[in-house]
Amino acid sequence: KRDEMFVTRQCMDINDQVMLYRGHRNARTMIKQANFWGDQYVISGSDCGRVFVWDKWTGEVVNLLVGDSHVVNCVQPHPCACVLATSGIDYDIKLWEPMSVDKCSLQDLEEIVKRNEVMLQESRNTITVPSSFILHVLAYLNRRRRMRNQESDDRQEQEE
């Protein structure tokens, strides 16, 4: 399923899942990153504008960050420090680092996950194509049309 991220062992069939990480949504954009954050966590962006942080071993959501007003596509942990960089559709990149030893509040988690499931179902038959791709296709088709028109004009001139 598109709404489930899974980790597989090398040289195993893709259906041999080690762990499922659920709750996020990936339907509006073509690319979402998932990464390990240290030895304990798996992280991913979501179409709901949040960064999901799962316990790597249990699959339980342990943190939920508001990373973008629309979509979080990229999540990249620092290779040495406990810092996370995120970006999405907004025009900024956010840097995160743990500031508290208190457990994170996940009071809205159930509602967010349900909304993600509903929106994912609604978008099952939708294909999201970047506008730059559409512009390239339109430009290509326009060039082809001009070439055909030019060839047609050249043939007419030769016949006259």
Side-chain angles (χ1 to χ4, degrees):
K1 294 167 104 179
R2 287 189 323 188
D3 60 337
E4 296 176 349
M5 195 175 19
F6 54 89
V7 179
T8 59
R9 290 192 183 112
Q10 191 174 21
C11 300
M12 292 184 95
D13 186 88
I14 194 132
N15 295 318
D16 296 334
Q17 301 163 354
V18 175
M19 178 62 66
L20 289 173
Y21 302 95
R22 297 181 177 174
H24 72 300
R25 179 169 39 102
N26 181 13
R28 290 181 61 192
T29 56
M30 296 174 74
I31 299 172
K32 290 284 182 306
Q33 281 186 331
N35 269 306
F36 291 100
W37 194 12
D39 294 331
Q40 187 67 27
Y41 304 105
V42 172
I43 54 177
S44 176
S46 177
D47 286 348
C48 63
R50 290 174 176 79
V51 177
F52 279 73
V53 182
W54 293 273
D55 180 286
K56 180 170 90 172
W57 306 108
T58 67
E60 176 186 350
V61 175
V62 295
N63 202 344
L64 200 56
L65 308 168
V66 178
D68 194 270
S69 61
H70 301 285
V71 174
V72 176
N73 288 320
C74 300
V75 292
Q76 189 65 45
H78 189 279
C80 303
C82 192
V83 176
L84 174 67
T86 64
S87 66
I89 295 178
D90 288 346
Y91 296 104
D92 55 10
I93 297 170
K94 294 175 180 69
L95 296 178
W96 308 82
E97 65 180 340
M99 302 296 283
S100 174
V101 294
D102 296 334
K103 193 169 184 170
C104 301
S105 171
L106 297 172
Q107 65 185 20
D108 298 333
L109 177 63
E110 190 174 323
E111 177 187 332
I112 291 166
V113 169
K114 283 182 184 177
R115 192 171 356 153
N116 280 349
E117 288 173 4
V118 167
M119 293 183 80
L120 189 64
Q121 289 302 322
E122 290 174 356
S123 64
R124 283 276 182 219
N125 297 322
T126 303
I127 298 173
T128 303
V129 179
S131 58
S132 60
F133 176 77
I134 292 171
L135 291 174
H136 283 290
V137 170
L138 290 174
Y140 171 78
L141 293 172
N142 192 35
R143 281 192 307 272
R144 294 282 300 170
R145 182 180 53 82
R146 282 190 308 216
M147 287 173 54
R148 277 195 310 268
N149 289 344
Q150 183 63 42
E151 289 171 358
S152 176
D153 290 346
D154 290 347
R155 267 182 272 161
Q156 286 178 356
E157 284 179 7
Q158 288 177 354
E159 291 174 0
E160 292 176 356

